[in-house]
Amino acid sequence: MEFERRDAPFIAPTSDVSSIMRHVLFALVPAALAYVWFFGSGFIFNLIVASLFCIAGESLMLRLRGKPVESTLMDYSALVTAALLAFAMPALTPWWVTATAALFATVVAKHLYGGLGYNLFNPAMVGYVVALVAFPMHMNLWTPPRLGDIDYHFMTIAETARYTITGTFPDYLSFDAISRATPLDVVKAGLNNMLTFSELRAYPIMGDFGGRGWEWIGNFTAIGGAWLLLKKIIRWQIPFGVLMGVLAPSSLMYIMDPGINPSPGFHLFTGGTILCAFFIATDPVSAATSDRGRLVYGFGIGFIIYAIREWGSYADGVAFAVLLMNMAVPAIDYLTMPRIVGHRLKKQGDR
Amino acid sequence: MSSPAATYDLGKLHGGLRLPSNKMESTATPLQTIPVPDQLILPIAQHVGEPAHPIVGIGEKVLKGQLLAESYGSISAPIHAPSSGTVVAIEPWPVSRRQGDKAPCIIIECDGEDRALPAAEETVPFNTIEPDSLLRKILQGGIVGLGGAVFPTGQKLMQAATMPLEYLILNGVECEPYISCDDILMREQAAEVLGGAQILMHALGLNKCYVVIESDKPEAISAIGESMATLDDDRITLKQVPTIYPSGGEDQLVQLVTNREVPTGGLPTDVGCVVQNVGTCAAIWRWIVEGEPLISRVTTVTGPGLTTPMNITARIGTTVADVIAFAGGYTEHAKQLIIGGPLCGKSVTTDRVPLVKATNCILVLDETAGTAEERPCIRCGECALVCPIQLLPQQLFWYACSDNEARLRSYGLTDCIECGCCDLVCPSHIPLTASFRNAKARIQELADEKARAERARRRFESRNERLEIEKLARESELAQQKEDARNAGPAAIEEILKRQREKQDQDRES
């Protein structure tokens, strides 16, 4: 009998990229539900706009580069980028802001670098930063969470849709009437105005640890992250590194002077720390690859997040932290190369 | 009953995989013996190193156990007739080593009588033989590593004997899925295995031997345990190790059992260990004690493409088609024929290939491998997590694609044992191991080419040098002649000119 000739091994691989990306998307569902609950339907519109433009950008570039469009789209990586963008955007964002971010993420950050696997920078974070720089006003329109005793105006689905499409508010509302400082903004400004952290903690927008509402989104994000860890889609090193990178300096500072430094819990549960730890920093393509390297990479991101919040001019610094550490990845990979079995530890300057 | 083997303080192996073993199918039936077929095909290269040199002629009658081809070169092994019959041809035939392409083989038409060569000498108890002569004797038995690596055992032991040694390690780990020939061999021939170990300890002057068996082989563990109790040799210890692929690799086993790393480019003997497969030990016992060279082996015939998976003892040279017919034939789903296991084996194009000394498994799968779509690497790092050598396969793949030889070397390409773990966990379905195999071959090719160019350059230079010397010699000879003529004076010159004129006249006349 005659047979075909193939290369070993002859056992089929057990996982594939599509399934990894699908897992990531599923893991974001609890956080998305919490986000919609606290900040309204805007998230859904952002998600739709981001998805459409990410897919459009990806398809366009795949066609231009002469790559198979349909099968590549089926790796779901464009949708993961879209989802992360939707989380990063304020709940109320006009479509062209999101579209700019989405197109920049896929066309420039991803495909001009060679497509999935070759991008140096996290596409979603590049898109977010571009939007932040290009549309600072829109990107700083944060609404307060939907909670009984907080002064907020909750926009209906129709009003949200109108704002997303046209960028205009209903006649009885205005930008100033609807936007509120985020807990991170409040703490930053408050501390600058010589208030103490315990005074700021008494504000109604503050919850048990971080901002009210925000901390719940953090909890639900962590549930999804824990599920990814359990499924071994992500490994513990990067999330642990990021959380430690935020917790270590913030604890130290808080212990030294709890009056002028926000508590570590506040840093953990406010802003994008948890989303970053489990979903953004863990993007394998733009992260370090060795176990030790990933700890260093994660810790670096966490520390930069803390540094930007503490000493920078932006209220939150997830995107910048991730992009800065993306740049450091080749160096981290090189310096944390594991020792090959049977080789002696390489001395400095051996290579 | 408590297991006779305890899991000792084991060294740690990086990575590895727990794979579905798929061994129950083939171990369900006891070991069967295939009758001698009508024709035996014996490739002259069944081992690592130089092919053996045939010493029989076409038409010559041979007896079972008779030497057919002798060892040639510093690494080689002889080949013996597995049964009696007539040598009908020495010609190219499809072989598994070349995936079904042809290589020189000795073909024997068997007479069915299976007459054995009368023993040349009386077999004496092995412990009365000098270790040196024992090693030389093993060299003549045509014994090679039966775990699949087929390194000539005699030469391996000769090399080992020159090193300071501490442990003999019997490899009964057999970690690759589907393969169960060592398991069955340990169950049925435990005494021979341990006997072989005693021979080896005597030959190498060792007094510590570990028999290492994976925890998923309780029957083999108890069989070896019982045999050890009968033997009562306190030099031999049974060690049970967890079932993790690829802990049966020679270097991996040493690391697991002794917590010593075999240095890169080195051998287990560098850290005081000699590793022998349990099947090889049994073969040594049969040769030294019973005088039968390596002419048969235990092989697993299994896979979802076969009707009745089993383990068989077959004469070397039986074709795979004969073996599969004996095992009930293919199912209608048979898609791929693999000689060896599903991770380290080779797919062959035809079942006309013979079973050789290396054939530990004949695997028939019901689907074709490598059909999953390949996507770009997403640097997830799973490959690095499972690599037993702690390489970075994703980086190696990158450098393999760009043919960056320097980087490939510094990232340890040559340390890759081609276990295939990285392929199995790659979510992008990249054929990593195949690309490393190719990169290794390319580096070898480049090195060969360099060596060839170097040889050519040297030849060219020596030719120039030779021409130069000849030219100088000619010139000095000419100068000498002129000098002689000048010294001889005008009369002599006149003589020469006259001779020339006469010659010219003669030429004109003719």
Side-chain angles (χ1 to χ4, degrees):
Chain A
M1 203 163 142
E2 306 299 308
F3 299 89
E4 255 181 86
R5 189 184 290 194
R6 296 276 176 166
D7 283 321
F10 303 99
I11 298 180
T14 43
S15 69
D16 66 280
V17 175
S18 307
S19 120
I20 289 178
M21 298 291 174
R22 273 200 308 273
H23 273 86
V24 174
L25 289 174
F26 285 137
L28 281 167
V29 169
L33 293 178
Y35 203 109
V36 171
W37 173 261
F38 285 109
F39 293 98
S41 54
F43 174 81
I44 306 281
F45 292 111
N46 289 349
L47 185 61
I48 293 170
V49 173
S51 302
L52 284 178
F53 281 91
C54 278
I55 290 173
E58 177 114 333
S59 313
L60 173 79
M61 290 308 285
L62 286 171
R63 187 150 304 152
L64 287 177
R65 295 176 58 216
K67 305 263 175 190
V69 177
E70 234 168 276
S71 67
T72 310
L73 280 178
M74 288 311 283
D75 68 18
Y76 296 101
S77 62
L79 283 182
V80 170
T81 302
L84 293 179
L85 267 178
F87 272 100
M89 295 285 170
L92 292 175
T93 311
W95 70 268
W96 59 89
V97 178
T98 314
T100 307
L103 286 176
F104 214 88
T106 47
V107 174
V108 179
K110 192 173 175 186
H111 279 285
L112 289 187
Y113 280 89
L116 180 69
Y118 298 93
N119 46 303
L120 281 178
F121 297 101
N122 184 316
M125 292 303 101
V126 172
Y128 172 80
V129 165
V130 166
L132 189 66
V133 174
F135 306 98
M137 188 188 80
H138 292 104
M139 292 297 283
N140 281 309
L141 172 68
W142 291 93
T143 52
R146 175 160 65 149
L147 288 161
D149 54 345
I150 291 181
D151 150 50
Y152 73 100
H153 180 88
F154 202 73
M155 281 168 64
T156 64
I157 294 177
E159 288 167 347
T160 310
R162 184 169 164 226
Y163 178 77
T164 307
I165 295 164
T166 64
T168 54
F169 292 99
D171 298 336
Y172 64 95
L173 275 178
S174 69
F175 189 91
D176 290 333
I178 200 159
S179 78
R180 291 288 179 277
T182 64
L184 279 170
D185 292 323
V186 168
V187 167
K188 186 156 218 157
L191 291 175
N192 284 345
N193 290 332
M194 307 312 252
L195 277 95
T196 65
F197 181 63
S198 47
E199 283 174 294
L200 294 165
R201 278 290 305 274
Y203 283 19
I205 58 159
M206 296 300 181
D208 296 330
F209 294 107
R212 276 174 77 189
W214 287 99
E215 57 191 11
W216 277 104
I217 295 175
N219 288 340
F220 282 98
T221 312
I223 290 173
W227 183 66
L228 286 185
L229 279 173
L230 215 64
K231 286 269 163 190
K232 295 189 170 165
I233 300 293
I234 58 173
R235 302 282 171 170
W236 63 272
Q237 283 87 354
I238 292 178
F240 180 80
V242 173
L243 300 181
M244 280 301 122
V246 172
L247 284 180
S250 59
S251 304
L252 199 69
M253 299 292 274
Y254 188 67
I255 290 166
M256 289 202 309
D257 194 343
I260 60 162
N261 290 300
S263 68
F266 175 81
H267 276 295
L268 204 59
F269 284 100
T270 315
T273 313
I274 293 192
L275 185 74
C276 171
F278 290 101
F279 290 93
I280 301 173
T282 50
D283 163 37
V285 176
S286 53
T289 54
S290 67
D291 285 354
R292 270 187 310 154
R294 286 178 169 175
L295 275 172
V296 173
Y297 172 78
F299 192 89
I301 291 178
F303 184 81
I304 298 173
I305 291 176
Y306 176 77
I308 292 176
R309 286 179 182 179
E310 187 75 13
W311 302 297
S313 56
Y314 283 93
D316 203 352
V318 168
F320 295 109
V322 170
L323 294 179
L324 282 170
M325 289 311 286
N326 285 166
M327 282 188 234
V329 160
I332 294 174
D333 274 349
Y334 183 75
L335 293 172
T336 59
M337 234 177 91
R339 183 187 65 89
I340 300 168
V341 172
H343 286 240
R344 266 192 249 129
L345 266 174
K346 287 216 166 87
K347 279 183 238 111
Q348 208 101 59
D350 254 10
R351 265 172 295 142
Chain B
M1 194 187 98
S2 71
S3 163
T7 306
Y8 286 75
D9 44 332
L10 294 170
K12 205 168 151 34
L13 201 61
H14 183 264
L17 286 173
R18 288 172 197 278
L19 298 168
S21 70
N22 296 322
K23 296 183 194 226
M24 301 301 250
E25 296 86 344
S26 55
T27 53
T29 42
L31 185 61
Q32 320 241 345
T33 305
I34 294 195
V36 178
D38 297 338
Q39 205 178 37
L40 290 166
I41 320 290
L42 297 150
I44 57 167
Q46 293 192 33
H47 44 260
V48 172
E50 292 288 325
H53 261 202
I55 55 162
V56 288
I58 292 164
E60 195 173 329
K61 295 245 185 272
V62 292
L63 295 171
K64 174 180 165 186
Q66 186 179 333
L67 188 66
L68 293 181
E70 59 185 12
S71 169
Y72 176 80
S74 57
I75 297 175
S76 186
I79 291 163
H80 301 80
S83 184
S84 60
T86 314
V87 176
V88 290
I90 299 177
E91 63 181 24
W93 187 279
V95 294
S96 53
R97 192 172 51 88
R98 304 192 59 201
Q99 297 193 277
D101 288 351
K102 291 181 177 178
C105 296
I106 301 171
I107 298 166
I108 297 175
E109 199 81 59
C110 298
D111 55 17
E113 291 169 26
D114 206 21
R115 270 174 303 139
L117 193 70
E121 57 203 77
E122 221 24 53
T123 50
V124 288
F126 69 84
N127 43 17
T128 62
I129 309 175
E130 280 295 304
D132 272 358
S133 354
L134 199 52
L135 289 176
R136 271 199 300 280
K137 175 100 193 302
I138 291 173
L139 213 54
Q140 293 154 7
I143 295 161
V144 299
L146 295 181
V150 285
F151 192 89
T153 303
Q155 275 124 9
K156 179 171 173 176
L157 296 173
M158 292 271 204
Q159 186 273 336
T162 64
M163 305 286 285
L165 296 176
E166 207 176 330
Y167 299 107
L168 169 68
I169 300 174
L170 293 206
N171 188 346
V173 170
E174 199 173 42
C175 51
E176 210 173 337
Y178 287 107
I179 310 177
S180 60
C181 59
D182 289 348
D183 185 2
I184 288 287
L185 181 112
M186 285 188 285
R187 292 188 204 182
E188 307 218 358
Q189 301 169 11
E192 284 92 323
V193 171
L194 296 178
Q198 288 180 319
I199 296 173
L200 286 173
M201 280 194 282
H202 176 64
L204 296 170
L206 281 168
N207 51 24
K208 268 188 220 155
C209 169
Y210 291 134
V211 185
V212 192
I213 308 176
E214 257 184 344
S215 53
D216 68 342
K217 302 176 181 60
E219 295 90 347
I221 290 172
S222 64
I224 292 279
E226 276 165 34
S227 192
M228 271 169 62
T230 330
L231 206 61
D232 196 23
D233 186 338
D234 60 3
R235 297 173 301 171
I236 305 175
T237 316
L238 184 52
K239 275 206 177 195
Q240 184 180 326
V241 295
T243 309
I244 296 172
Y245 178 83
S247 46
E250 198 170 66
D251 297 0
Q252 286 64 47
L253 193 63
V254 168
Q255 198 182 343
L256 199 59
V257 176
T258 67
N259 206 10
R260 298 173 187 176
E261 284 181 18
V262 177
T264 174
L267 293 168
T269 51
D270 292 332
V271 291
C273 299
V274 181
V275 184
Q276 287 293 341
N277 170 268
V278 287
T280 317
C281 282
I284 290 170
W285 183 86
R286 255 195 306 283
W287 170 232
I288 299 297
V289 177
E290 303 206 316
E292 184 188 286
L294 181 59
I295 56 170
S296 68
R297 72 159 294 152
V298 181
T299 298
T300 308
V301 192
T302 188
L306 278 177
T307 48
T308 37
M310 58 171 73
N311 274 281
I312 49 121
T313 302
R315 299 292 162 92
I316 306 291
T318 311
T319 63
V320 167
D322 283 344
V323 173
I324 285 172
F326 180 81
Y330 298 103
T331 66
E332 57 198 287
H333 307 296
K335 281 265 172 61
Q336 185 127 49
L337 176 62
I338 291 145
I339 304 298
L343 287 132
C344 299
K346 275 185 173 170
S347 79
V348 292
T349 51
T350 169
D351 59 10
R352 294 172 65 220
V353 300
L355 179 152
V356 291
K357 292 175 182 175
T359 313
N360 54 359
C361 182
I362 297 169
L363 174 64
V364 184
L365 292 181
D366 56 356
E367 56 195 334
T368 315
T371 44
E373 192 193 354
E374 187 184 333
R375 290 181 190 276
C377 169
I378 58 166
R379 290 162 46 89
C380 65
E382 292 296 308
C383 47
L385 277 180
V386 298
C387 179
I389 315 296
Q390 263 192 293
L391 301 173
L392 296 172
Q394 85 275 21
Q395 300 283 26
L396 275 175
F397 176 70
W398 183 268
Y399 297 129
C401 288
S402 58
D403 234 341
N404 188 336
E405 193 189 326
R407 280 286 189 213
L408 281 172
R409 281 185 195 282
S410 73
Y411 278 76
L413 176 73
T414 49
D415 294 290
C416 171
I417 58 166
E418 298 174 24
C419 64
C421 283
C422 47
D423 282 60
L424 256 55
V425 297
C426 179
S428 297
H429 306 160
I430 300 169
L432 293 159
T433 311
S435 82
F436 300 153
R437 221 178 283 131
N438 292 341
K440 279 184 191 171
R442 244 183 353 255
I443 285 183
Q444 188 57 48
E445 217 171 89
L446 276 176
D448 289 352
E449 203 159 296
K450 233 184 193 164
R452 262 202 306 280
E454 178 61 23
R455 271 201 304 278
R457 189 181 61 81
R458 250 181 302 166
R459 197 179 308 120
F460 178 71
E461 279 176 1
S462 73
R463 174 176 175 272
N464 281 356
E465 211 170 305
R466 195 182 68 234
L467 291 181
E468 186 67 16
I469 290 169
E470 282 171 7
K471 195 174 142 208
L472 286 177
R474 249 195 334 273
E475 277 171 2
S476 72
E477 200 182 332
L478 211 62
Q480 189 60 48
Q481 283 174 355
K482 280 185 182 161
E483 186 67 25
D484 286 351
R486 203 170 298 126
N487 289 347
I493 292 172
E494 194 56 40
E495 184 78 8
I496 291 166
L497 288 175
K498 200 176 124 200
R499 249 205 329 266
Q500 269 183 357
R501 267 198 301 277
E502 276 168 14
K503 198 163 177 262
Q504 277 167 5
D505 291 346
Q506 270 173 11
D507 286 351
R508 218 171 291 136
E509 276 164 30
S510 63

